């Protein structure tokens, strides 16, 4: 019996922890601690610890499936490729949409966008970062000129004050929370603002519960208090920023006095005052945010406000400071870096820039690629499918499950039902796969080589530990074989993931200096422009990435959520996730150690609200919005602010997204997952 330890990177969240896959006789059977791992030093959260459990699940897809008369029939790869090539070949470019995947490697995302642009010649390529951090990319780019986390994970430990806004770090990014714990042990003050008293809030020196959807009011209020007290960093403002007067004009309005903000947000004025003082007067302060900030119709505004606050206090470009959006899925940063987005090629080179387009045409060795138009986002695609049937006819979805993740699932279901042809490539059969015409079986992270880029822009390796089950293949190989079937063998000639990475380095300025040889054992932070460059852990040290190098204050006024409570729907519903489960549950619900901890969904209801409604703990209640209803057990608790309710969205038995609202931020097109109006009723016994 031979036991091998293969060091690789966790397939769940964007923290990018390393661990060893333990392999016996060619099969993975455990996860072992890898002490040398750069981000986590061997420590793991439960998802990483049990990341082997779903790999050899009997439910893995092992053969291509083609739907015939409504039922799936096993097929050969050649038949599946033949059918897809014939169908894709029959549509116009604008009639097709590709969805890439933050669960797959950089190489696979790069190839998916290349496939869309070179083979299908469609500009319609996107992935689930749209639902997650598209507002970060747009908001931070407006202020700093670049849309990524400014500092590194380990660096957070050096902060003297940490403001956590709309991030449940201890459950969603547990090994980043470790840096918060370290900072606090060193005397840093921790402030948490969140409608729920989460495990993260429980660690705070100052916890500020508040009403979902009032973030801009809170941030403007903090800035007003700072300016009133003269706590702004004048030297930084003068040397590194512009348009401070514009900011002042907005945040100094009476609407944002502590008293008025306290009314809007329900945070007591004394708490706001204390928070403003700690943030502004600490030697160095860091702001951490996540979905509580981004998933709103005002997502871009929220993000700009966080950046305004940290520039005002001179906390950008310094160790222990910065604006730190915590990236989500293991490779969401990488999927964006690789250009799996409708407006940019890899390295954020704009499709509308003719020189960039010509560069890609030359690099890819073709006469033409998708035109220089910005394609549809995933949220726009769903709306176009529903509202203008026939405009989009076919979709190719790799590693995404819109039938659970999309806002207002009745709408999503109707939209996908209007497709003529759908291909889904996944490791398991999913709710979206059930709707497909062809399902392709993919290899999972443990079965392939590749790279992924974590939230702090660190590029790290995946290493193959076992063969895929049955006839499943690596996503990169499937894309290459399909491209070859469609006549593009010369553009997709790769024999290994490393060969793809070499091309990525050649066409992507921020990845120019990165190669597989340089990635062991610590990875490298982009931008890394040359083969000798050590990588860049902290951004904006001397100048911002804007054309003149100055940070641009971008003041915003507070606007309420698109749907606010009224007599019919009197509560705010917010949604999110829990430590034991991962998103649409395809992997964690097949992981017995995780599933047994949180096997069913629930709705959190404040105990005063529950009393008024006559609802008891554990009772199954009916939650309804203008979109739909879900019957779900109540969790009566004081750990959520009165007037707000919360549902974790992992459970297909109680799909939160039957309730959520399909309204989008006008710039980033992110849906408002974090606030809509809901009513909750007792279910009368029949
Ligand atoms: N265990 C586990 N970990 C995960 C994931 C998972 O599915 N499971 N998913 C990963 C991914 S893809 C992502 S995007 C991240 C998500 O990570 P987080 O963003 O940290 O998680 P969420 O639960 O979506 O929301 C964060 C917090 O926002 C609060 N909130 C709700 N409404 C508002 C509001 O209006 N304003 C503010 N400021 N806060 C509000 C919620 O109460 C919640 O505590 O986690 C990653 N990590
Ligand atoms: N109500 C509500 N809805 C939300 C959110 C919320 O907070 N509230 N959050 C949103 C956010 S932040 C996100 S990121 C999305 C997440 O939504 P999704 O990206 O759809 O979530 P996952 O469950 O991670 O689905 C990814 C799919 O990839 C498959 N997969 C895993 N590894 C591989 C691989 O190597 N190859 C292939 N081909 N497939 C693979 C999995 O089996 C799974 O079916 O949900 C969004 N939806
Ligand atoms: S914190 Fe994230 S990357 Fe680290 S072990 Fe947990 S899920 Fe994996
Ligand atoms: Mo996400």
């Amino acid at each position: 019996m031979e036991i091998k330890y293969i060091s690789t990177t966790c397939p769940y969240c964007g923290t990018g922890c390393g661990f060893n896959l333990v392999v016996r006789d060619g099969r993975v059977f455990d996860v072992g601690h890898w002490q040398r791992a750069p981000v986590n030093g061997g420590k793991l959260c439960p998802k990483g610890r049990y990341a082997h459990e779903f790999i050899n699940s009997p439910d893995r897809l092992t053969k291509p499936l083609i739907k015939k008369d409504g039922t799936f029939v096993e097929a050969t790869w050649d038949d599946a490729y033949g059918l897809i090539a014939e169908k894709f070949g029959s549509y116009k470019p604008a009639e097709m949409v590709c969805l890439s995947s933050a669960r797959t490697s950089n190489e696979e995302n790069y190839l998916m966008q290349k496939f869309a642009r070179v083979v299908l010649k469609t500009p319609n390529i996107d992935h689930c970062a749209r639902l997650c951090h598209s507002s970060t990319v747009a908001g931070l780019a407006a202020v700093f000129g670049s849309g990524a986390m400014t500092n590194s994970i380990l660096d957070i430990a050096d902060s003297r004050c940490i403001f956590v806004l709309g991030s449940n770090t201890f459950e969603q990014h547990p090994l980043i929370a470790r840096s918060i714990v370290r900072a606090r042990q060193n005397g840093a003050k921790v402030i948490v603002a969140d409608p729920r008293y989460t495990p993260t809030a429980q660690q705070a020196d100052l916890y500020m519960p508040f009403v979902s959807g009032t973030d801009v009011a809170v941030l403007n209020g903090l800035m007003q208090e700072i300016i009133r007290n003269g706590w702004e960093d004048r030297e930084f403002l003068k040397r590194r920023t512009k348009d401070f007067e514009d900011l002042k004009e907005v945040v100094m309005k009476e609407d944002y006095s502590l008293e008025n903000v306290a009314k809007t947000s329900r945070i007591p004025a004394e708490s706001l005052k204390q928070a403003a003082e700690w943030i502004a007067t600490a030697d160095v302060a860091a702001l951490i945010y996540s979905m509580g900030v981004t998933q709103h119709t005002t997502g871009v505004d929220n993000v700009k406000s966080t950046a305004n606050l940290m520039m005002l206090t001179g906390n950008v470009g310094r160790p222990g400071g910065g604006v730190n959006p915590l990236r989500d899925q293991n490779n969401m940063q990488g999927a964006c870096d690789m250009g799996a987005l409708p407006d940019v090629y890899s390295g954020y080179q704009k499709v509308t820039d003719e020189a960039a387009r010509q560069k890609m045409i030359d690099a890819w060795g073709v006469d033409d690629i998708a035109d220089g138009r910005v394609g549809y986002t995933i949220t726009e695609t769903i709306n176009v499918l529903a509202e203008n049937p026939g405009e989009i006819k076919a979709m190719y979805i790799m590693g995404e499950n819109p039938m659970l993740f999309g806002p207002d699932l009745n709408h999503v279901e109707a939209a996908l039902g209007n497709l003529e042809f759908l291909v889904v490539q996944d490791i398991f059969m999913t709710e979206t796969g059930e709707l497909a015409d062809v399902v392709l079986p993919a290899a999972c992270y443990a079965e392939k080589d590749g790279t992924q880029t974590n939230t702090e822009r660190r590029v790290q390796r995946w290493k193959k530990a076992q063969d895929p089950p049955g006839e499943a293949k690596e996503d990169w190989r499937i894309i290459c074989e399909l491209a070859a079937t469609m006549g593009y063998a010369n553009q997709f000639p790769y024999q290994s993931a490393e060969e793809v990475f070499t091309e990525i380095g050649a066409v992507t300025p921020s990845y120019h200096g990165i190669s597989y040889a340089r990635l062991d054992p610590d990875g490298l932070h982009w931008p890394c422009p040359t083969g000798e460059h050590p990588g860049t852990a902290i951004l904006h040290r001397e100048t911002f990435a804007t054309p003149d190098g100055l940070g641009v204050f971008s003041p915003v006024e507070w606007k309420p959520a698109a749907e606010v409570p009224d007599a019919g729907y009197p509560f705010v519903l917010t949604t999110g996730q829990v430590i034991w489960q991962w998103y649409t549950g395809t992997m964690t619900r097949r992981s017995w150690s995780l599933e047994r901890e949180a096997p069913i969904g629930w709705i959190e209801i404040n105990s005063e609200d529950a009393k008024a409604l006559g609802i008891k703990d554990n009772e199954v209640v009916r939650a309804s919005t203008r979109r739909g209803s879900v019957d779900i057990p109540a969790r009566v608790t004081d750990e959520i602010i009165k007037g707000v309710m919360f549902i974790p969205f992992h459970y297909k038995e109680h799909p939160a997204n039957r309730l959520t609202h399909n309204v989008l931020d006008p710039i980033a097109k992110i849906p408002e997952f974090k606030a809509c109006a809901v009513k909750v009723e007792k279910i009368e016994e029949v």
Side-chain angles (χ1 to χ4, degrees), residues 13-14 47 132-133 165-169 171-173 193-196 198 210-215 290-293 295-296 326-329 332 574-583 646 649-650 674-675:
C13 87
K47 285 180 304 305
C132 202
H133 271 296
L165 181 65
S167 156
N168 184 1
T169 325
E171 285 201 79
Q172 309 305 318
H173 296 93
D194 196 298
R196 301 167 55 227
T198 59
F210 76 117
V211 179
S212 285
T214 60
D215 295 71
S290 197
M291 295 302 100
V293 164
Q295 287 174 333
H296 291 278
L326 301 187
R327 284 284 176 143
D328 18 58
Q329 309 220 16
M332 195 163 289
T574 189
T575 60
Q577 31 269 326
V578 296
I579 190 166
W580 306 102
Q581 295 289 1
W582 180 266
Y583 273 137
F646 168 82
F649 91 101
H650 310 290
K674 288 289 186 269

Side-chain angles (χ1 to χ4, degrees), residues 297-298 664-670:
T297 44
T298 56
L664 308 179
D665 179 286
I667 297 164
K669 316 285 183 200
I670 192 170

Side-chain angles (χ1 to χ4, degrees), residues 10 12-17 43-45 47-49 172-175:
C10 179
Y12 285 113
C13 87
T15 307
C17 298
K43 304 275 190 298
L44 293 171
C45 84
K47 285 180 304 305
R49 172 64 191 90
Q172 309 305 318
H173 296 93
L175 270 297

Side-chain angles (χ1 to χ4, degrees), residues 222 302 468 486 563 645:
L222 293 173
N302 293 354
M486 295 187 70
E563 190 185 64
M645 301 191 177

Side-chain angles (χ1 to χ4, degrees), residues 372-550:
R373 210 163 25 98
V374 175
Y376 281 138
T377 61
I378 177 173
T379 39
E380 286 170 326
T381 298
I382 299 288
N383 290 346
V384 168
L385 274 169
E387 286 149 25
N388 196 11
E391 184 182 333
I392 296 170
K393 297 203 167 79
M395 267 176 99
Y396 179 13
I397 303 181
M398 166 172 80
E400 300 227 305
N401 192 6
M403 269 308 299
L404 271 190
F405 80 41
D408 187 0
L409 288 183
N410 295 335
H411 173 72
V412 177
E413 198 167 7
L416 293 180
N418 286 337
L419 281 169
E420 280 180 19
F421 187 64
L422 172 62
V423 179
V424 169
Q425 182 168 311
D426 206 294
I427 60 174
F428 291 111
M429 180 55 85
T430 62
E431 293 70 17
T432 310
E434 296 287 356
L435 302 178
D437 298 282
V438 182
V439 173
L440 300 176
C444 79
Y445 79 104
E447 296 150 357
K448 53 194 176 190
D449 286 318
T451 57
Q452 64 174 44
T453 306
N454 77 350
T455 180
E456 47 166 11
R457 295 167 285 103
R458 190 193 294 260
V459 184
Q460 302 186 98
R461 280 295 311 278
W462 267 355
K463 290 182 189 152
K464 179 171 172 170
Q466 70 165 40
D467 286 330
E471 295 174 21
K473 297 184 189 195
E474 302 96 323
D475 292 282
W476 64 263
R477 200 182 295 277
I478 300 173
I479 299 170
C480 291
E481 291 178 355
L482 185 56
T485 314
M486 295 187 70
Y488 288 86
N490 290 342
Q491 284 70 32
F492 292 79
Y494 321 99
Q495 297 303 315
S496 68
E498 187 168 6
E499 286 179 21
V500 183
F501 196 81
T502 306
E503 180 174 318
I504 294 171
V507 300
T508 315
S510 49
Y511 281 65
H512 267 334
I514 308 179
S515 60
Y516 274 25
R518 293 191 69 197
L519 288 179
D520 270 333
D522 290 336
L524 277 169
H525 295 271
W526 68 257
C528 179
T530 65
E532 293 72 45
H533 193 281
T536 312
I538 300 180
L539 294 179
H540 317 307
R541 271 189 181 260
E542 300 301 328
T543 53
F544 288 99
T546 48
D548 59 7
L550 296 176

